[in-house]
Each structure stands twice: as structure tokens, then as C-alpha cells.
Amino acid sequence: MAKPKQTLTLFIILLVLTILSYEQILQNKYYPFTFAGDTNISFLTEGQATRKLQTKFEGRTKQKLQFIFAQGGFTIDLATSSASLNYNELTFEFNRSHAGNLLDILGRQILSLFFTSKIYPPIKLNLDRQMMAIKSQVDQPAQNAEIMFDETTSPEGTPSARIQIKEGHAGLSLDKERLQQEVIQFILNDKYTNQLPLKSTPPRITTAHVQKAKQALEQILTEPIKLTFQERSWILDAKQLLALLDLTQGLDILDKDRTYVYLEKIASEIDREVQEGLFEFNPASKRVSAFKPSQEGRKLNPDKVFQEILMSLEEKSPKTIALAVDIIKPKIATSEVNNLGIKELIGRGVSNFAGSIPNRIYNVNLTAQ
């Protein structure tokens, strides 16, 4: 029975000694399976790891990388890129892995036997001049969609209009961020994708949005929008509507600012300042010294009208729009003169028109009617 116990005791002692020795070995070194990019710095001190990484960095930053695309290829010369690598990341990772009490450190050391640790030191590059040279050759501007409104007159003299669309097309541009990442990937890992990274640039004015505007204009050609207030009206036809469109937005096709300028002209014919009632009575002379009837003010509501025009263009409301006009009530109305201090009869006139001339009799009868 003694031999098994002795064997177990010896095994435990041996295991403890092995662990302590392992810990002692890694006391000032990086743990197993530690990499800075593709550089294996396992079991190296900070100084050794820095020098090994620096050697690779200096060698790779003298290289020229080839990038290709459909119309040719370009070279990125790393020797002119002012590349720099921040080695502080190595120190940070070393301090992090060696911090804490003995049990914490031993736990991380054991885990390092089963898991790889990757360090990615930050790299700075200046590729602006080389990228500008590439962009000047590969960038293709996007083509905005256009809407054309042609007014024509038939041989019979009948005016008509034709609405056409010129479709938009996406452009191409160099993806500078991805290109820089590919260069950094090469410096750290000695590999990169040599396909020149490009990205599609959509047009500001898309064909879909112009198509929506075309449909609205064609509706207005058939039935213009009629804005009404009392006995007056204003016609919003296709030509006028074209001047109010905003083809750069993704939602509404009607430009708010332009529409408000258009509505200001209509408002100048509608808006009216409120007029307060005025009735001044002089008790001494028992006469009215000043009188002015009240009058309601009114003001066109551009926000409501703008929304109503939009709804009409989207066929959600009729093409005839009663303009939204806010009424401003006077503080003192003419009908309230009895509240202005008149408490007695201030005058009376009596006239007998018997025997008057025919013209006077006619005028009095007309007034009575």
C-alpha cells in the first residue's frame, strides 16, 4: 500500500515542480502561440519580440504591391508611404498577460497551450499621393437621371408637351479605406488581395425618383391642380410644377422651399391684416370722435397647402384644392360697439320728403328697399 502512495506523492511533487519551472521560464517571455501579425514571438522577451517584428516590418515596407483591375494595374510603393508601427501594443499585451496573482498567471499560461493569441500593432501610412494618382484614372462619376419637358405645337396649332427621361447610372470610385487595409494586411501578415478595391457610387438623382416625377407631371398634363379661395383660383400646370420639383430627395418629389416661394405670390393676394374695431365717444360733446369698423384678418397656411398639393400629386386627394387660410379674429368687433361705453341717444334725424323733386323721391325709395 505504501508504494502507490509514494508514487502519487512523487507525481504531485513532479507536477508542481514542472508548473513552477514553466512559470519561471515564462516569467519575462511571451506565452506559447503568441503572434504579432504572422510573426511568432512565443518564448521571446519584449526586446527580442520587438527586434524580430521590426526586422519583418522594415523588410516589407520596402516592397511594391501590385493591384489590378479591368482596365489595367497600379503599383503601391511602400518605401514612399512613411509607414510606422506602434510597438507599444506588444508591451501592453505582455503586461496584460503577466498581471495578477500567481494563480491568475498560471491559469493564463495553461490556457496559452490550447489557444492562439494574436496581437495587431497599429500601423500608420501615408498613401494619399499614390491614391490620388489611382483615383484620377479609375474614378468614373455617376450620371444623374434627368427629366426633359418639351413643349411642341402641332401643324394645326394645338400646343402639347412631351415628357422624357434620361436614365441615371452609378459611378465607380477607389475604395481608399479598403486599399489601405490591404496594405496593412500585407505588412502584418505578408498577404493581401491584389484586386484593386472599387466601390459603386449611386447617382444623386435616381431613375426611380425621376420616374415618380414623370408620372406626377403626366397627371398634371391631363388635369392641372387648381388652387381656390373664395371666387379666385390659381392653376398649377405641368410647366410650373416642373420648376417646383426636387429630384435629389428620396421621398417627396416636391421641393418645400421652392413651393413656399410659389405660395408666397398667392399669399400676397389673400393675406390681410386684422383690423380692430374703433369707436371713440366724447361725453362732453356727445359726439362720436372716431370710428373704424373691425375686419377679420387672414393668412395662407403654407404647411397645410404644401401637404395638400403632395397628396394631390400622389392621387390621394382631388386636383381642386381649397386653400387653407387661417382666419384671425379682431379683439374688438364692430358688433360689440354696445360694450364701448355708449349709453344714450346721441342724435336723431327726421326728414319729410313729401313734395320733393322726383330724383330725391327715387333715391329715398331705393334706399328703403
PDB file of all heavy atoms in Angstrom, residues 199-224:
ATOM      1  N   LYS A 199     -15.598  50.815 -55.343  1.00  0.00           N
ATOM      2  CA  LYS A 199     -16.961  50.838 -54.823  1.00  0.00           C
ATOM      3  C   LYS A 199     -17.867  51.614 -55.764  1.00  0.00           C
ATOM      4  O   LYS A 199     -17.429  52.538 -56.451  1.00  0.00           O
ATOM      5  CB  LYS A 199     -17.008  51.443 -53.416  1.00  0.00           C
ATOM      6  CG  LYS A 199     -16.473  52.851 -53.309  1.00  0.00           C
ATOM      7  CD  LYS A 199     -16.485  53.308 -51.852  1.00  0.00           C
ATOM      8  CE  LYS A 199     -15.891  54.714 -51.715  1.00  0.00           C
ATOM      9  NZ  LYS A 199     -15.875  55.166 -50.296  1.00  0.00           N
ATOM     10  N   SER A 200     -19.105  51.206 -55.785  1.00  0.00           N
ATOM     11  CA  SER A 200     -20.100  51.854 -56.640  1.00  0.00           C
ATOM     12  C   SER A 200     -20.609  53.124 -55.962  1.00  0.00           C
ATOM     13  O   SER A 200     -20.867  53.144 -54.760  1.00  0.00           O
ATOM     14  CB  SER A 200     -21.264  50.893 -56.902  1.00  0.00           C
ATOM     15  OG  SER A 200     -22.283  51.526 -57.632  1.00  0.00           O
ATOM     16  N   THR A 201     -20.738  54.190 -56.740  1.00  0.00           N
ATOM     17  CA  THR A 201     -21.257  55.458 -56.212  1.00  0.00           C
ATOM     18  C   THR A 201     -22.602  55.752 -56.881  1.00  0.00           C
ATOM     19  O   THR A 201     -22.646  56.009 -58.081  1.00  0.00           O
ATOM     20  CB  THR A 201     -20.273  56.607 -56.470  1.00  0.00           C
ATOM     21  OG1 THR A 201     -19.962  56.663 -57.871  1.00  0.00           O
ATOM     22  CG2 THR A 201     -18.987  56.393 -55.704  1.00  0.00           C
ATOM     23  N   PRO A 202     -23.693  55.686 -56.139  1.00  0.00           N
ATOM     24  CA  PRO A 202     -25.008  55.905 -56.746  1.00  0.00           C
ATOM     25  C   PRO A 202     -25.203  57.360 -57.157  1.00  0.00           C
ATOM     26  O   PRO A 202     -24.620  58.276 -56.554  1.00  0.00           O
ATOM     27  CB  PRO A 202     -25.980  55.530 -55.610  1.00  0.00           C
ATOM     28  CG  PRO A 202     -25.204  55.771 -54.361  1.00  0.00           C
ATOM     29  CD  PRO A 202     -23.779  55.446 -54.685  1.00  0.00           C
ATOM     30  N   PRO A 203     -26.001  57.604 -58.177  1.00  0.00           N
ATOM     31  CA  PRO A 203     -26.286  58.992 -58.577  1.00  0.00           C
ATOM     32  C   PRO A 203     -27.152  59.691 -57.534  1.00  0.00           C
ATOM     33  O   PRO A 203     -27.914  59.052 -56.810  1.00  0.00           O
ATOM     34  CB  PRO A 203     -27.039  58.823 -59.904  1.00  0.00           C
ATOM     35  CG  PRO A 203     -27.654  57.463 -59.818  1.00  0.00           C
ATOM     36  CD  PRO A 203     -26.694  56.623 -59.024  1.00  0.00           C
ATOM     37  N   ARG A 204     -27.001  60.994 -57.428  1.00  0.00           N
ATOM     38  CA  ARG A 204     -27.825  61.773 -56.500  1.00  0.00           C
ATOM     39  C   ARG A 204     -29.289  61.742 -56.936  1.00  0.00           C
ATOM     40  O   ARG A 204     -30.195  61.774 -56.116  1.00  0.00           O
ATOM     41  CB  ARG A 204     -27.339  63.215 -56.421  1.00  0.00           C
ATOM     42  CG  ARG A 204     -25.975  63.365 -55.752  1.00  0.00           C
ATOM     43  CD  ARG A 204     -25.527  64.822 -55.726  1.00  0.00           C
ATOM     44  NE  ARG A 204     -26.431  65.634 -54.941  1.00  0.00           N
ATOM     45  CZ  ARG A 204     -27.199  66.599 -55.436  1.00  0.00           C
ATOM     46  NH1 ARG A 204     -27.204  66.829 -56.754  1.00  0.00           N
ATOM     47  NH2 ARG A 204     -27.975  67.321 -54.656  1.00  0.00           N
ATOM     48  N   ILE A 205     -29.506  61.711 -58.244  1.00  0.00           N
ATOM     49  CA  ILE A 205     -30.872  61.660 -58.786  1.00  0.00           C
ATOM     50  C   ILE A 205     -31.044  60.318 -59.476  1.00  0.00           C
ATOM     51  O   ILE A 205     -30.427  60.054 -60.502  1.00  0.00           O
ATOM     52  CB  ILE A 205     -31.126  62.810 -59.772  1.00  0.00           C
ATOM     53  CG1 ILE A 205     -30.848  64.159 -59.106  1.00  0.00           C
ATOM     54  CG2 ILE A 205     -32.548  62.756 -60.302  1.00  0.00           C
ATOM     55  CD1 ILE A 205     -30.977  65.348 -60.044  1.00  0.00           C
ATOM     56  N   THR A 206     -31.862  59.468 -58.892  1.00  0.00           N
ATOM     57  CA  THR A 206     -32.029  58.121 -59.426  1.00  0.00           C
ATOM     58  C   THR A 206     -33.133  58.075 -60.478  1.00  0.00           C
ATOM     59  O   THR A 206     -34.032  58.928 -60.500  1.00  0.00           O
ATOM     60  CB  THR A 206     -32.372  57.138 -58.298  1.00  0.00           C
ATOM     61  OG1 THR A 206     -33.654  57.486 -57.743  1.00  0.00           O
ATOM     62  CG2 THR A 206     -31.328  57.184 -57.198  1.00  0.00           C
ATOM     63  N   THR A 207     -33.067  57.049 -61.318  1.00  0.00           N
ATOM     64  CA  THR A 207     -34.093  56.860 -62.351  1.00  0.00           C
ATOM     65  C   THR A 207     -35.459  56.626 -61.716  1.00  0.00           C
ATOM     66  O   THR A 207     -36.479  57.116 -62.209  1.00  0.00           O
ATOM     67  CB  THR A 207     -33.712  55.676 -63.251  1.00  0.00           C
ATOM     68  OG1 THR A 207     -32.442  55.930 -63.859  1.00  0.00           O
ATOM     69  CG2 THR A 207     -34.755  55.466 -64.340  1.00  0.00           C
ATOM     70  N   ALA A 208     -35.485  55.886 -60.604  1.00  0.00           N
ATOM     71  CA  ALA A 208     -36.761  55.592 -59.932  1.00  0.00           C
ATOM     72  C   ALA A 208     -37.435  56.874 -59.448  1.00  0.00           C
ATOM     73  O   ALA A 208     -38.654  57.023 -59.563  1.00  0.00           O
ATOM     74  CB  ALA A 208     -36.518  54.644 -58.758  1.00  0.00           C
ATOM     75  N   HIS A 209     -36.636  57.814 -58.931  1.00  0.00           N
ATOM     76  CA  HIS A 209     -37.222  59.055 -58.422  1.00  0.00           C
ATOM     77  C   HIS A 209     -37.706  59.934 -59.572  1.00  0.00           C
ATOM     78  O   HIS A 209     -38.752  60.572 -59.489  1.00  0.00           O
ATOM     79  CB  HIS A 209     -36.189  59.803 -57.582  1.00  0.00           C
ATOM     80  CG  HIS A 209     -36.799  60.776 -56.627  1.00  0.00           C
ATOM     81  ND1 HIS A 209     -37.720  60.408 -55.670  1.00  0.00           N
ATOM     82  CD2 HIS A 209     -36.645  62.111 -56.496  1.00  0.00           C
ATOM     83  CE1 HIS A 209     -38.086  61.470 -54.985  1.00  0.00           C
ATOM     84  NE2 HIS A 209     -37.458  62.515 -55.466  1.00  0.00           N
ATOM     85  N   VAL A 210     -36.938  59.951 -60.654  1.00  0.00           N
ATOM     86  CA  VAL A 210     -37.357  60.734 -61.821  1.00  0.00           C
ATOM     87  C   VAL A 210     -38.624  60.134 -62.433  1.00  0.00           C
ATOM     88  O   VAL A 210     -39.494  60.851 -62.913  1.00  0.00           O
ATOM     89  CB  VAL A 210     -36.204  60.798 -62.849  1.00  0.00           C
ATOM     90  CG1 VAL A 210     -36.689  61.394 -64.164  1.00  0.00           C
ATOM     91  CG2 VAL A 210     -35.061  61.635 -62.295  1.00  0.00           C
ATOM     92  N   GLN A 211     -38.733  58.802 -62.407  1.00  0.00           N
ATOM     93  CA  GLN A 211     -39.936  58.145 -62.924  1.00  0.00           C
ATOM     94  C   GLN A 211     -41.166  58.579 -62.131  1.00  0.00           C
ATOM     95  O   GLN A 211     -42.240  58.808 -62.692  1.00  0.00           O
ATOM     96  CB  GLN A 211     -39.762  56.629 -62.855  1.00  0.00           C
ATOM     97  CG  GLN A 211     -40.913  55.832 -63.454  1.00  0.00           C
ATOM     98  CD  GLN A 211     -41.068  56.061 -64.941  1.00  0.00           C
ATOM     99  OE1 GLN A 211     -40.075  56.100 -65.677  1.00  0.00           O
ATOM    100  NE2 GLN A 211     -42.293  56.203 -65.402  1.00  0.00           N
ATOM    101  N   LYS A 212     -40.993  58.706 -60.825  1.00  0.00           N
ATOM    102  CA  LYS A 212     -42.099  59.166 -59.976  1.00  0.00           C
ATOM    103  C   LYS A 212     -42.499  60.595 -60.349  1.00  0.00           C
ATOM    104  O   LYS A 212     -43.691  60.924 -60.417  1.00  0.00           O
ATOM    105  CB  LYS A 212     -41.676  59.094 -58.511  1.00  0.00           C
ATOM    106  CG  LYS A 212     -42.763  59.478 -57.519  1.00  0.00           C
ATOM    107  CD  LYS A 212     -42.258  59.335 -56.098  1.00  0.00           C
ATOM    108  CE  LYS A 212     -43.342  59.746 -55.106  1.00  0.00           C
ATOM    109  NZ  LYS A 212     -42.855  59.640 -53.693  1.00  0.00           N
ATOM    110  N   ALA A 213     -41.504  61.435 -60.613  1.00  0.00           N
ATOM    111  CA  ALA A 213     -41.793  62.812 -61.017  1.00  0.00           C
ATOM    112  C   ALA A 213     -42.480  62.848 -62.383  1.00  0.00           C
ATOM    113  O   ALA A 213     -43.392  63.653 -62.615  1.00  0.00           O
ATOM    114  CB  ALA A 213     -40.501  63.621 -61.046  1.00  0.00           C
ATOM    115  N   LYS A 214     -42.059  61.968 -63.283  1.00  0.00           N
ATOM    116  CA  LYS A 214     -42.663  61.912 -64.623  1.00  0.00           C
ATOM    117  C   LYS A 214     -44.153  61.556 -64.527  1.00  0.00           C
ATOM    118  O   LYS A 214     -44.985  62.142 -65.213  1.00  0.00           O
ATOM    119  CB  LYS A 214     -41.920  60.894 -65.480  1.00  0.00           C
ATOM    120  CG  LYS A 214     -42.464  60.727 -66.897  1.00  0.00           C
ATOM    121  CD  LYS A 214     -41.581  59.766 -67.676  1.00  0.00           C
ATOM    122  CE  LYS A 214     -42.068  59.596 -69.119  1.00  0.00           C
ATOM    123  NZ  LYS A 214     -43.302  58.832 -69.221  1.00  0.00           N
ATOM    124  N   GLN A 215     -44.460  60.592 -63.684  1.00  0.00           N
ATOM    125  CA  GLN A 215     -45.865  60.204 -63.511  1.00  0.00           C
ATOM    126  C   GLN A 215     -46.698  61.367 -62.990  1.00  0.00           C
ATOM    127  O   GLN A 215     -47.826  61.594 -63.446  1.00  0.00           O
ATOM    128  CB  GLN A 215     -45.952  59.021 -62.549  1.00  0.00           C
ATOM    129  CG  GLN A 215     -45.354  57.734 -63.108  1.00  0.00           C
ATOM    130  CD  GLN A 215     -45.293  56.622 -62.065  1.00  0.00           C
ATOM    131  OE1 GLN A 215     -45.623  56.819 -60.898  1.00  0.00           O
ATOM    132  NE2 GLN A 215     -44.859  55.438 -62.486  1.00  0.00           N
ATOM    133  N   ALA A 216     -46.122  62.124 -62.033  1.00  0.00           N
ATOM    134  CA  ALA A 216     -46.846  63.277 -61.488  1.00  0.00           C
ATOM    135  C   ALA A 216     -47.067  64.331 -62.563  1.00  0.00           C
ATOM    136  O   ALA A 216     -48.158  64.906 -62.674  1.00  0.00           O
ATOM    137  CB  ALA A 216     -46.075  63.868 -60.314  1.00  0.00           C
ATOM    138  N   LEU A 217     -46.053  64.578 -63.401  1.00  0.00           N
ATOM    139  CA  LEU A 217     -46.187  65.579 -64.462  1.00  0.00           C
ATOM    140  C   LEU A 217     -47.215  65.149 -65.505  1.00  0.00           C
ATOM    141  O   LEU A 217     -47.986  65.985 -66.017  1.00  0.00           O
ATOM    142  CB  LEU A 217     -44.829  65.823 -65.125  1.00  0.00           C
ATOM    143  CG  LEU A 217     -43.799  66.597 -64.292  1.00  0.00           C
ATOM    144  CD1 LEU A 217     -42.444  66.566 -64.966  1.00  0.00           C
ATOM    145  CD2 LEU A 217     -44.256  68.039 -64.077  1.00  0.00           C
ATOM    146  N   GLU A 218     -47.227  63.862 -65.826  1.00  0.00           N
ATOM    147  CA  GLU A 218     -48.196  63.382 -66.814  1.00  0.00           C
ATOM    148  C   GLU A 218     -49.623  63.515 -66.294  1.00  0.00           C
ATOM    149  O   GLU A 218     -50.543  63.804 -67.068  1.00  0.00           O
ATOM    150  CB  GLU A 218     -47.877  61.929 -67.166  1.00  0.00           C
ATOM    151  CG  GLU A 218     -46.617  61.785 -68.012  1.00  0.00           C
ATOM    152  CD  GLU A 218     -46.216  60.327 -68.230  1.00  0.00           C
ATOM    153  OE1 GLU A 218     -46.664  59.459 -67.458  1.00  0.00           O
ATOM    154  OE2 GLU A 218     -45.453  60.076 -69.183  1.00  0.00           O
ATOM    155  N   GLN A 219     -49.806  63.329 -65.004  1.00  0.00           N
ATOM    156  CA  GLN A 219     -51.143  63.533 -64.420  1.00  0.00           C
ATOM    157  C   GLN A 219     -51.561  64.995 -64.544  1.00  0.00           C
ATOM    158  O   GLN A 219     -52.706  65.302 -64.879  1.00  0.00           O
ATOM    159  CB  GLN A 219     -51.142  63.121 -62.949  1.00  0.00           C
ATOM    160  CG  GLN A 219     -50.905  61.641 -62.698  1.00  0.00           C
ATOM    161  CD  GLN A 219     -50.697  61.352 -61.222  1.00  0.00           C
ATOM    162  OE1 GLN A 219     -50.989  62.180 -60.372  1.00  0.00           O
ATOM    163  NE2 GLN A 219     -50.181  60.170 -60.924  1.00  0.00           N
ATOM    164  N   ILE A 220     -50.592  65.891 -64.278  1.00  0.00           N
ATOM    165  CA  ILE A 220     -50.904  67.326 -64.330  1.00  0.00           C
ATOM    166  C   ILE A 220     -51.170  67.774 -65.756  1.00  0.00           C
ATOM    167  O   ILE A 220     -51.952  68.698 -65.994  1.00  0.00           O
ATOM    168  CB  ILE A 220     -49.746  68.128 -63.711  1.00  0.00           C
ATOM    169  CG1 ILE A 220     -49.558  67.734 -62.252  1.00  0.00           C
ATOM    170  CG2 ILE A 220     -50.004  69.620 -63.801  1.00  0.00           C
ATOM    171  CD1 ILE A 220     -50.791  67.898 -61.398  1.00  0.00           C
ATOM    172  N   LEU A 221     -50.527  67.124 -66.733  1.00  0.00           N
ATOM    173  CA  LEU A 221     -50.824  67.462 -68.132  1.00  0.00           C
ATOM    174  C   LEU A 221     -52.289  67.209 -68.443  1.00  0.00           C
ATOM    175  O   LEU A 221     -52.945  67.966 -69.161  1.00  0.00           O
ATOM    176  CB  LEU A 221     -49.936  66.638 -69.069  1.00  0.00           C
ATOM    177  CG  LEU A 221     -48.485  67.106 -69.264  1.00  0.00           C
ATOM    178  CD1 LEU A 221     -47.731  66.114 -70.132  1.00  0.00           C
ATOM    179  CD2 LEU A 221     -48.450  68.504 -69.887  1.00  0.00           C
ATOM    180  N   THR A 222     -52.801  66.096 -67.906  1.00  0.00           N
ATOM    181  CA  THR A 222     -54.200  65.732 -68.145  1.00  0.00           C
ATOM    182  C   THR A 222     -55.153  66.593 -67.323  1.00  0.00           C
ATOM    183  O   THR A 222     -56.174  67.073 -67.827  1.00  0.00           O
ATOM    184  CB  THR A 222     -54.423  64.246 -67.798  1.00  0.00           C
ATOM    185  OG1 THR A 222     -53.497  63.447 -68.533  1.00  0.00           O
ATOM    186  CG2 THR A 222     -55.845  63.828 -68.144  1.00  0.00           C
ATOM    187  N   GLU A 223     -54.796  66.808 -66.071  1.00  0.00           N
ATOM    188  CA  GLU A 223     -55.674  67.574 -65.174  1.00  0.00           C
ATOM    189  C   GLU A 223     -54.815  68.414 -64.237  1.00  0.00           C
ATOM    190  O   GLU A 223     -54.310  67.917 -63.221  1.00  0.00           O
ATOM    191  CB  GLU A 223     -56.566  66.629 -64.357  1.00  0.00           C
ATOM    192  CG  GLU A 223     -57.568  67.355 -63.477  1.00  0.00           C
ATOM    193  CD  GLU A 223     -58.392  66.396 -62.632  1.00  0.00           C
ATOM    194  OE1 GLU A 223     -58.145  65.176 -62.706  1.00  0.00           O
ATOM    195  OE2 GLU A 223     -59.264  66.872 -61.896  1.00  0.00           O
ATOM    196  N   PRO A 224     -54.613  69.691 -64.548  1.00  0.00           N
ATOM    197  CA  PRO A 224     -53.800  70.551 -63.683  1.00  0.00           C
ATOM    198  C   PRO A 224     -54.420  70.684 -62.292  1.00  0.00           C
ATOM    199  O   PRO A 224     -55.623  70.495 -62.109  1.00  0.00           O
ATOM    200  CB  PRO A 224     -53.795  71.898 -64.421  1.00  0.00           C
ATOM    201  CG  PRO A 224     -54.182  71.578 -65.825  1.00  0.00           C
ATOM    202  CD  PRO A 224     -55.101  70.403 -65.744  1.00  0.00           C
TER     203      PRO A 224
END
